mmCIF file of all heavy atoms in Angstrom:
data_model
loop_
_atom_site.group_PDB
_atom_site.id
_atom_site.type_symbol
_atom_site.label_atom_id
_atom_site.label_comp_id
_atom_site.label_asym_id
_atom_site.label_seq_id
_atom_site.Cartn_x
_atom_site.Cartn_y
_atom_site.Cartn_z
ATOM 1 N N ILE A 28 0.823 -1.241 0.094
ATOM 2 C CA ILE A 28 0.023 -0.045 -0.004
ATOM 3 C C ILE A 28 0.790 1.313 -0.013
ATOM 4 O O ILE A 28 0.509 2.370 -0.567
ATOM 5 C CB ILE A 28 -0.940 0.110 1.268
ATOM 6 C CG1 ILE A 28 -1.941 -1.095 1.093
ATOM 7 C CG2 ILE A 28 -1.656 1.309 1.314
ATOM 8 C CD1 ILE A 28 -2.840 -1.260 2.272
ATOM 9 N N MET A 29 2.031 1.213 0.548
ATOM 10 C CA MET A 29 2.870 2.387 0.701
ATOM 11 C C MET A 29 3.224 2.958 -0.703
ATOM 12 O O MET A 29 3.558 2.292 -1.585
ATOM 13 C CB MET A 29 4.118 2.093 1.501
ATOM 14 C CG MET A 29 3.945 1.644 2.900
ATOM 15 S SD MET A 29 3.093 2.922 3.921
ATOM 16 C CE MET A 29 4.389 4.253 4.093
ATOM 17 N N GLY A 30 3.166 4.267 -0.813
ATOM 18 C CA GLY A 30 3.333 4.945 -2.098
ATOM 19 C C GLY A 30 4.764 4.803 -2.623
ATOM 20 O O GLY A 30 5.693 4.687 -1.724
ATOM 21 N N ASN A 31 4.931 4.888 -3.931
ATOM 22 C CA ASN A 31 6.458 4.765 -4.445
ATOM 23 C C ASN A 31 6.348 5.465 -5.765
ATOM 24 O O ASN A 31 6.271 4.863 -6.827
ATOM 25 C CB ASN A 31 6.780 3.273 -4.538
ATOM 26 C CG ASN A 31 8.278 3.254 -5.034
ATOM 27 O OD1 ASN A 31 8.911 4.250 -5.117
ATOM 28 N ND2 ASN A 31 8.807 2.145 -5.148
ATOM 29 N N VAL A 32 6.672 6.818 -5.619
ATOM 30 C CA VAL A 32 6.732 7.676 -6.903
ATOM 31 C C VAL A 32 7.963 8.595 -6.807
ATOM 32 O O VAL A 32 8.479 8.821 -5.746
ATOM 33 C CB VAL A 32 5.580 8.655 -7.122
ATOM 34 C CG1 VAL A 32 4.172 7.766 -7.342
ATOM 35 C CG2 VAL A 32 5.298 9.470 -5.849
ATOM 36 N N PRO A 33 8.474 9.034 -7.956
ATOM 37 C CA PRO A 33 9.799 9.692 -7.879
ATOM 38 C C PRO A 33 9.535 11.156 -7.306
ATOM 39 O O PRO A 33 10.582 11.587 -6.755
ATOM 40 C CB PRO A 33 10.195 9.780 -9.410
ATOM 41 C CG PRO A 33 9.394 8.820 -10.116
ATOM 42 C CD PRO A 33 8.116 8.707 -9.317
ATOM 43 N N ARG A 34 8.531 11.710 -7.603
ATOM 44 C CA ARG A 34 8.398 13.228 -7.115
ATOM 45 C C ARG A 34 8.317 13.431 -5.626
ATOM 46 O O ARG A 34 7.593 12.837 -4.961
ATOM 47 C CB ARG A 34 7.143 13.820 -7.765
ATOM 48 C CG ARG A 34 7.156 15.268 -7.540
ATOM 49 C CD ARG A 34 5.804 15.961 -8.340
ATOM 50 N NE ARG A 34 4.607 15.503 -7.864
ATOM 51 C CZ ARG A 34 3.902 16.138 -6.885
ATOM 52 N NH1 ARG A 34 4.369 17.262 -6.314
ATOM 53 N NH2 ARG A 34 2.757 15.568 -6.528
ATOM 54 N N TYR A 35 9.235 14.299 -5.191
ATOM 55 C CA TYR A 35 9.322 14.699 -3.664
ATOM 56 C C TYR A 35 8.183 15.721 -3.428
ATOM 57 O O TYR A 35 8.166 16.843 -4.126
ATOM 58 C CB TYR A 35 10.729 15.138 -3.295
ATOM 59 C CG TYR A 35 10.880 15.203 -1.832
ATOM 60 C CD1 TYR A 35 11.103 14.197 -0.990
ATOM 61 C CD2 TYR A 35 10.734 16.503 -1.192
ATOM 62 C CE1 TYR A 35 11.205 14.243 0.375
ATOM 63 C CE2 TYR A 35 10.769 16.579 0.136
ATOM 64 C CZ TYR A 35 11.099 15.506 1.045
ATOM 65 O OH TYR A 35 11.187 15.644 2.300
ATOM 66 N N ARG A 36 7.373 15.588 -2.587
ATOM 67 C CA ARG A 36 6.325 16.544 -2.369
ATOM 68 C C ARG A 36 6.568 17.383 -1.081
ATOM 69 O O ARG A 36 7.001 16.776 -0.052
ATOM 70 C CB ARG A 36 4.910 15.744 -2.204
ATOM 71 C CG ARG A 36 4.737 14.727 -3.237
ATOM 72 C CD ARG A 36 3.471 14.016 -3.110
ATOM 73 N NE ARG A 36 3.391 13.095 -1.927
ATOM 74 C CZ ARG A 36 4.039 11.956 -1.892
ATOM 75 N NH1 ARG A 36 4.858 11.511 -2.869
ATOM 76 N NH2 ARG A 36 4.065 11.139 -0.754
ATOM 77 N N GLY A 37 6.179 18.552 -1.091
ATOM 78 C CA GLY A 37 6.372 19.470 -0.013
ATOM 79 C C GLY A 37 5.102 19.356 0.898
ATOM 80 O O GLY A 37 4.065 18.882 0.729
ATOM 81 N N GLY A 38 5.213 19.995 2.151
ATOM 82 C CA GLY A 38 4.177 20.070 3.192
ATOM 83 C C GLY A 38 4.559 19.090 4.306
ATOM 84 O O GLY A 38 5.125 17.998 4.068
ATOM 85 N N ALA A 39 4.233 19.517 5.516
ATOM 86 C CA ALA A 39 4.685 18.690 6.654
ATOM 87 C C ALA A 39 4.092 17.317 6.716
ATOM 88 O O ALA A 39 4.912 16.294 7.009
ATOM 89 C CB ALA A 39 4.241 19.461 7.982
ATOM 90 N N LEU A 40 2.894 17.106 6.295
ATOM 91 C CA LEU A 40 2.207 15.845 6.112
ATOM 92 C C LEU A 40 3.018 14.937 5.218
ATOM 93 O O LEU A 40 3.292 13.743 5.411
ATOM 94 C CB LEU A 40 0.756 15.867 5.838
ATOM 95 C CG LEU A 40 0.057 14.567 5.875
ATOM 96 C CD1 LEU A 40 0.234 13.696 7.034
ATOM 97 C CD2 LEU A 40 -1.388 14.712 5.520
ATOM 98 N N ASN A 41 3.188 15.484 3.975
ATOM 99 C CA ASN A 41 3.744 14.700 2.898
ATOM 100 C C ASN A 41 5.244 14.354 3.346
ATOM 101 O O ASN A 41 5.732 13.262 3.022
ATOM 102 C CB ASN A 41 3.895 15.581 1.627
ATOM 103 C CG ASN A 41 2.657 15.559 0.896
ATOM 104 O OD1 ASN A 41 1.780 14.636 0.938
ATOM 105 N ND2 ASN A 41 2.281 16.596 0.188
ATOM 106 N N ILE A 42 6.004 15.289 4.012
ATOM 107 C CA ILE A 42 7.439 14.917 4.492
ATOM 108 C C ILE A 42 7.359 13.775 5.370
ATOM 109 O O ILE A 42 8.203 12.930 5.192
ATOM 110 C CB ILE A 42 7.971 16.251 5.101
ATOM 111 C CG1 ILE A 42 8.349 17.274 3.943
ATOM 112 C CG2 ILE A 42 9.356 15.922 5.757
ATOM 113 C CD1 ILE A 42 8.764 18.613 4.558
ATOM 114 N N TYR A 43 6.448 13.820 6.288
ATOM 115 C CA TYR A 43 6.351 12.723 7.338
ATOM 116 C C TYR A 43 6.106 11.446 6.629
ATOM 117 O O TYR A 43 6.712 10.251 6.835
ATOM 118 C CB TYR A 43 5.362 13.003 8.373
ATOM 119 C CG TYR A 43 5.256 11.908 9.535
ATOM 120 C CD1 TYR A 43 6.215 12.008 10.605
ATOM 121 C CD2 TYR A 43 4.451 10.807 9.539
ATOM 122 C CE1 TYR A 43 6.305 11.034 11.640
ATOM 123 C CE2 TYR A 43 4.478 9.906 10.540
ATOM 124 C CZ TYR A 43 5.273 10.021 11.539
ATOM 125 O OH TYR A 43 5.389 9.115 12.594
ATOM 126 N N VAL A 44 5.060 11.404 5.704
ATOM 127 C CA VAL A 44 4.575 10.222 4.900
ATOM 128 C C VAL A 44 5.809 9.683 4.191
ATOM 129 O O VAL A 44 6.103 8.574 3.981
ATOM 130 C CB VAL A 44 3.372 10.481 4.027
ATOM 131 C CG1 VAL A 44 3.150 9.270 3.138
ATOM 132 C CG2 VAL A 44 2.265 10.734 5.076
ATOM 133 N N GLN A 45 6.630 10.655 3.549
ATOM 134 C CA GLN A 45 7.581 10.262 2.608
ATOM 135 C C GLN A 45 8.791 9.692 3.301
ATOM 136 O O GLN A 45 9.453 8.798 2.845
ATOM 137 C CB GLN A 45 8.206 11.366 1.826
ATOM 138 C CG GLN A 45 7.177 11.809 0.723
ATOM 139 C CD GLN A 45 7.352 13.179 0.123
ATOM 140 O OE1 GLN A 45 6.897 13.474 -0.921
ATOM 141 N NE2 GLN A 45 7.998 14.056 0.823
ATOM 142 N N MET A 46 9.005 10.039 4.609
ATOM 143 C CA MET A 46 9.913 9.278 5.467
ATOM 144 C C MET A 46 9.639 7.825 5.599
ATOM 145 O O MET A 46 10.477 6.946 5.460
ATOM 146 C CB MET A 46 10.100 10.058 6.868
ATOM 147 C CG MET A 46 10.848 11.312 6.797
ATOM 148 S SD MET A 46 11.279 11.982 8.358
ATOM 149 C CE MET A 46 9.619 12.355 9.034
ATOM 150 N N LEU A 47 8.212 7.575 5.862
ATOM 151 C CA LEU A 47 7.701 6.215 5.991
ATOM 152 C C LEU A 47 7.920 5.494 4.612
ATOM 153 O O LEU A 47 8.268 4.260 4.644
ATOM 154 C CB LEU A 47 6.425 6.311 6.360
ATOM 155 C CG LEU A 47 6.035 6.281 7.928
ATOM 156 C CD1 LEU A 47 4.465 6.634 8.033
ATOM 157 C CD2 LEU A 47 6.468 5.082 8.613
ATOM 158 N N GLU A 48 7.580 6.167 3.486
ATOM 159 C CA GLU A 48 7.696 5.487 2.253
ATOM 160 C C GLU A 48 9.172 5.246 1.895
ATOM 161 O O GLU A 48 9.512 4.118 1.386
ATOM 162 C CB GLU A 48 7.113 6.440 1.212
ATOM 163 C CG GLU A 48 5.629 6.705 1.291
ATOM 164 C CD GLU A 48 5.114 7.694 0.313
ATOM 165 O OE1 GLU A 48 5.927 8.474 -0.366
ATOM 166 O OE2 GLU A 48 3.931 7.932 0.118
ATOM 167 N N MET A 49 10.158 6.055 2.256
ATOM 168 C CA MET A 49 11.605 5.674 2.052
ATOM 169 C C MET A 49 11.899 4.471 2.861
ATOM 170 O O MET A 49 12.548 3.642 2.303
ATOM 171 C CB MET A 49 12.420 6.874 2.287
ATOM 172 C CG MET A 49 12.328 8.051 1.381
ATOM 173 S SD MET A 49 13.565 9.427 1.750
ATOM 174 C CE MET A 49 12.916 10.079 3.265
ATOM 175 N N SER A 50 11.588 4.530 4.163
ATOM 176 C CA SER A 50 11.907 3.386 5.051
ATOM 177 C C SER A 50 11.330 2.036 4.596
ATOM 178 O O SER A 50 11.967 1.034 4.432
ATOM 179 C CB SER A 50 11.505 3.641 6.539
ATOM 180 O OG SER A 50 12.174 4.842 7.029
ATOM 181 N N ALA A 51 9.896 2.119 4.317
ATOM 182 C CA ALA A 51 9.217 0.838 3.857
ATOM 183 C C ALA A 51 9.794 0.505 2.694
ATOM 184 O O ALA A 51 10.017 -0.800 2.559
ATOM 185 C CB ALA A 51 7.701 1.252 3.854
ATOM 186 N N ASN A 52 9.811 1.206 1.584
ATOM 187 C CA ASN A 52 10.201 0.695 0.201
ATOM 188 C C ASN A 52 11.673 0.300 0.287
ATOM 189 O O ASN A 52 12.066 -0.700 -0.258
ATOM 190 C CB ASN A 52 10.031 1.843 -0.836
ATOM 191 C CG ASN A 52 8.633 1.955 -1.209
ATOM 192 O OD1 ASN A 52 8.059 1.088 -1.913
ATOM 193 N ND2 ASN A 52 7.834 2.943 -0.784
ATOM 194 N N GLY A 53 12.560 0.907 1.012
ATOM 195 C CA GLY A 53 13.944 0.694 1.121
ATOM 196 C C GLY A 53 14.102 -0.604 1.704
ATOM 197 O O GLY A 53 14.943 -1.554 1.407
ATOM 198 N N ALA A 54 13.474 -0.881 2.866
ATOM 199 C CA ALA A 54 13.588 -2.193 3.631
ATOM 200 C C ALA A 54 12.978 -3.318 2.739
ATOM 201 O O ALA A 54 13.533 -4.426 2.669
ATOM 202 C CB ALA A 54 12.812 -2.112 4.985
ATOM 203 N N LEU A 55 11.901 -3.128 2.044
ATOM 204 C CA LEU A 55 11.319 -4.106 1.139
ATOM 205 C C LEU A 55 12.314 -4.493 0.091
ATOM 206 O O LEU A 55 12.550 -5.731 -0.227
ATOM 207 C CB LEU A 55 10.059 -3.801 0.666
ATOM 208 C CG LEU A 55 9.308 -4.640 -0.355
ATOM 209 C CD1 LEU A 55 8.994 -5.935 0.352
ATOM 210 C CD2 LEU A 55 8.079 -4.067 -0.939
ATOM 211 N N GLN A 56 12.837 -3.546 -0.522
ATOM 212 C CA GLN A 56 13.813 -3.698 -1.594
ATOM 213 C C GLN A 56 15.035 -4.564 -1.196
ATOM 214 O O GLN A 56 15.600 -5.446 -1.923
ATOM 215 C CB GLN A 56 14.307 -2.368 -2.237
ATOM 216 C CG GLN A 56 13.179 -1.729 -3.039
ATOM 217 C CD GLN A 56 13.418 -0.381 -3.482
ATOM 218 O OE1 GLN A 56 14.469 -0.018 -3.503
ATOM 219 N NE2 GLN A 56 12.376 0.398 -3.854
ATOM 220 N N LYS A 57 15.540 -4.331 0.106
ATOM 221 C CA LYS A 57 16.644 -5.133 0.515
ATOM 222 C C LYS A 57 16.208 -6.691 0.721
ATOM 223 O O LYS A 57 16.928 -7.543 0.506
ATOM 224 C CB LYS A 57 16.998 -4.624 1.912
ATOM 225 C CG LYS A 57 17.873 -3.230 1.886
ATOM 226 C CD LYS A 57 18.272 -2.823 3.228
ATOM 227 C CE LYS A 57 19.058 -1.653 3.127
ATOM 228 N NZ LYS A 57 19.521 -1.100 4.488
ATOM 229 N N GLU A 58 14.923 -6.851 1.096
ATOM 230 C CA GLU A 58 14.406 -8.155 1.285
ATOM 231 C C GLU A 58 14.263 -8.819 -0.029
ATOM 232 O O GLU A 58 14.550 -10.093 -0.208
ATOM 233 C CB GLU A 58 13.171 -8.257 2.110
ATOM 234 C CG GLU A 58 13.223 -7.946 3.569
ATOM 235 C CD GLU A 58 12.326 -8.705 4.466
ATOM 236 O OE1 GLU A 58 11.066 -8.683 4.072
ATOM 237 O OE2 GLU A 58 12.759 -9.204 5.537
ATOM 238 N N LEU A 59 13.746 -8.143 -1.010
ATOM 239 C CA LEU A 59 13.603 -8.653 -2.452
ATOM 240 C C LEU A 59 14.971 -9.174 -2.911
ATOM 241 O O LEU A 59 15.050 -10.113 -3.471
ATOM 242 C CB LEU A 59 13.000 -7.526 -3.252
ATOM 243 C CG LEU A 59 11.457 -7.185 -3.040
ATOM 244 C CD1 LEU A 59 11.155 -6.124 -4.096
ATOM 245 C CD2 LEU A 59 10.675 -8.401 -3.054
ATOM 246 N N GLU A 60 16.016 -8.207 -2.652
ATOM 247 C CA GLU A 60 17.380 -8.623 -3.156
ATOM 248 C C GLU A 60 17.916 -9.788 -2.513
ATOM 249 O O GLU A 60 18.487 -10.661 -2.960
ATOM 250 C CB GLU A 60 18.251 -7.487 -2.957
ATOM 251 C CG GLU A 60 19.784 -7.613 -3.438
ATOM 252 C CD GLU A 60 19.730 -7.865 -4.917
ATOM 253 O OE1 GLU A 60 18.901 -7.066 -5.597
ATOM 254 O OE2 GLU A 60 20.666 -8.478 -5.434
ATOM 255 N N GLN A 61 17.487 -9.973 -1.159
ATOM 256 C CA GLN A 61 18.049 -10.996 -0.325
ATOM 257 C C GLN A 61 17.326 -12.379 -0.847
ATOM 258 O O GLN A 61 17.969 -13.319 -0.887
ATOM 259 C CB GLN A 61 17.636 -10.715 1.102
ATOM 260 C CG GLN A 61 18.220 -11.891 2.052
ATOM 261 C CD GLN A 61 18.094 -11.391 3.540
ATOM 262 O OE1 GLN A 61 17.508 -10.365 3.873
ATOM 263 N NE2 GLN A 61 18.469 -12.253 4.391
ATOM 264 N N ILE A 62 16.041 -12.320 -1.192
ATOM 265 C CA ILE A 62 15.306 -13.525 -1.604
ATOM 266 C C ILE A 62 15.820 -13.952 -3.038
ATOM 267 O O ILE A 62 15.828 -15.109 -3.371
ATOM 268 C CB ILE A 62 13.767 -13.362 -1.513
ATOM 269 C CG1 ILE A 62 13.308 -13.109 -0.050
ATOM 270 C CG2 ILE A 62 12.919 -14.514 -1.983
ATOM 271 C CD1 ILE A 62 11.807 -12.704 0.181
ATOM 272 N N LYS A 63 16.018 -12.829 -3.809
ATOM 273 C CA LYS A 63 16.576 -13.181 -5.103
ATOM 274 C C LYS A 63 17.784 -13.896 -5.096
ATOM 275 O O LYS A 63 18.096 -14.869 -5.753
ATOM 276 C CB LYS A 63 16.682 -11.825 -5.846
ATOM 277 C CG LYS A 63 17.380 -11.942 -7.273
ATOM 278 C CD LYS A 63 17.572 -10.516 -7.888
ATOM 279 C CE LYS A 63 18.250 -10.564 -9.305
ATOM 280 N NZ LYS A 63 18.338 -9.331 -9.872
ATOM 281 N N HIS A 64 18.825 -13.603 -4.018
ATOM 282 C CA HIS A 64 20.015 -14.190 -3.846
ATOM 283 C C HIS A 64 19.717 -15.629 -3.328
ATOM 284 O O HIS A 64 20.363 -16.599 -3.746
ATOM 285 C CB HIS A 64 20.832 -13.449 -2.889
ATOM 286 C CG HIS A 64 22.117 -13.981 -2.568
ATOM 287 N ND1 HIS A 64 23.205 -14.124 -3.589
ATOM 288 C CD2 HIS A 64 22.696 -14.540 -1.478
ATOM 289 C CE1 HIS A 64 24.168 -14.860 -2.978
ATOM 290 N NE2 HIS A 64 23.953 -15.039 -1.623
ATOM 291 N N ILE A 65 18.877 -15.706 -2.459
ATOM 292 C CA ILE A 65 18.473 -17.178 -2.018
ATOM 293 C C ILE A 65 18.023 -18.006 -3.170
ATOM 294 O O ILE A 65 18.407 -19.306 -3.375
ATOM 295 C CB ILE A 65 17.323 -17.134 -0.933
ATOM 296 C CG1 ILE A 65 17.922 -16.546 0.417
ATOM 297 C CG2 ILE A 65 16.742 -18.438 -0.640
ATOM 298 C CD1 ILE A 65 16.841 -16.124 1.396
ATOM 299 N N ASN A 66 17.208 -17.464 -4.018
ATOM 300 C CA ASN A 66 16.716 -18.367 -5.210
ATOM 301 C C ASN A 66 17.762 -18.706 -6.108
ATOM 302 O O ASN A 66 17.893 -19.826 -6.647
ATOM 303 C CB ASN A 66 15.735 -17.537 -6.081
ATOM 304 C CG ASN A 66 14.222 -17.485 -5.494
ATOM 305 O OD1 ASN A 66 14.047 -18.261 -4.547
ATOM 306 N ND2 ASN A 66 13.357 -16.529 -5.849
ATOM 307 N N SER A 67 18.808 -17.743 -6.373
ATOM 308 C CA SER A 67 20.009 -18.178 -7.090
ATOM 309 C C SER A 67 20.833 -19.366 -6.427
ATOM 310 O O SER A 67 21.234 -20.254 -7.226
ATOM 311 C CB SER A 67 20.846 -16.951 -7.390
ATOM 312 O OG SER A 67 21.582 -16.541 -6.235
ATOM 313 N N ARG A 68 20.989 -19.299 -5.188
ATOM 314 C CA ARG A 68 21.635 -20.351 -4.500
ATOM 315 C C ARG A 68 20.736 -21.698 -4.671
ATOM 316 O O ARG A 68 21.352 -22.718 -4.781
ATOM 317 C CB ARG A 68 21.764 -20.042 -2.958
ATOM 318 C CG ARG A 68 22.732 -18.869 -2.719
ATOM 319 C CD ARG A 68 22.618 -18.311 -1.370
ATOM 320 N NE ARG A 68 22.958 -19.341 -0.364
ATOM 321 C CZ ARG A 68 22.758 -19.286 0.927
ATOM 322 N NH1 ARG A 68 22.222 -18.095 1.419
ATOM 323 N NH2 ARG A 68 23.057 -20.217 1.793
ATOM 324 N N ILE A 69 19.505 -21.649 -4.494
ATOM 325 C CA ILE A 69 18.598 -22.818 -4.689
ATOM 326 C C ILE A 69 18.716 -23.273 -6.038
ATOM 327 O O ILE A 69 18.877 -24.622 -6.224
ATOM 328 C CB ILE A 69 17.143 -22.443 -4.432
ATOM 329 C CG1 ILE A 69 16.984 -22.142 -2.915
ATOM 330 C CG2 ILE A 69 16.212 -23.694 -4.805
ATOM 331 C CD1 ILE A 69 15.600 -21.606 -2.544
ATOM 332 N N MET A 70 18.853 -22.541 -7.161
ATOM 333 C CA MET A 70 18.958 -23.020 -8.473
ATOM 334 C C MET A 70 20.303 -23.645 -8.710
ATOM 335 O O MET A 70 20.328 -24.553 -9.589
ATOM 336 C CB MET A 70 18.872 -21.815 -9.488
ATOM 337 C CG MET A 70 17.384 -21.151 -9.444
ATOM 338 S SD MET A 70 16.166 -22.380 -10.015
ATOM 339 C CE MET A 70 16.582 -22.366 -11.815
ATOM 340 N N GLN A 71 21.229 -23.452 -7.921
ATOM 341 C CA GLN A 71 22.613 -24.047 -7.982
ATOM 342 C C GLN A 71 22.632 -25.307 -7.133
ATOM 343 O O GLN A 71 23.658 -25.923 -7.012
ATOM 344 C CB GLN A 71 23.654 -23.092 -7.539
ATOM 345 C CG GLN A 71 23.886 -21.864 -8.345
ATOM 346 C CD GLN A 71 24.685 -20.804 -7.834
ATOM 347 O OE1 GLN A 71 25.477 -21.137 -6.878
ATOM 348 N NE2 GLN A 71 24.661 -19.645 -8.416
ATOM 349 N N GLY A 72 21.478 -25.700 -6.677
ATOM 350 C CA GLY A 72 21.437 -27.005 -5.842
ATOM 351 C C GLY A 72 21.581 -26.873 -4.362
ATOM 352 O O GLY A 72 21.512 -27.905 -3.713
ATOM 353 N N GLU A 73 21.579 -25.821 -3.911
ATOM 354 C CA GLU A 73 21.867 -25.517 -2.393
ATOM 355 C C GLU A 73 20.385 -25.444 -1.759
ATOM 356 O O GLU A 73 19.406 -24.933 -2.275
ATOM 357 C CB GLU A 73 22.544 -24.291 -2.118
ATOM 358 C CG GLU A 73 22.835 -23.989 -0.787
ATOM 359 C CD GLU A 73 23.763 -22.701 -0.493
ATOM 360 O OE1 GLU A 73 24.116 -22.219 -1.429
ATOM 361 O OE2 GLU A 73 23.787 -22.317 0.646
#
């Protein structure tokens, strides 16, 4: 559900929400990369 668009929006509420969006999307992308690496290891027979 968390937003993910390139444009940085002004305003106090938008700034707070964008901090959450950065944290949420950033953490998710790290997990996606981690699972992608796990899949590559599985494909190699591990």
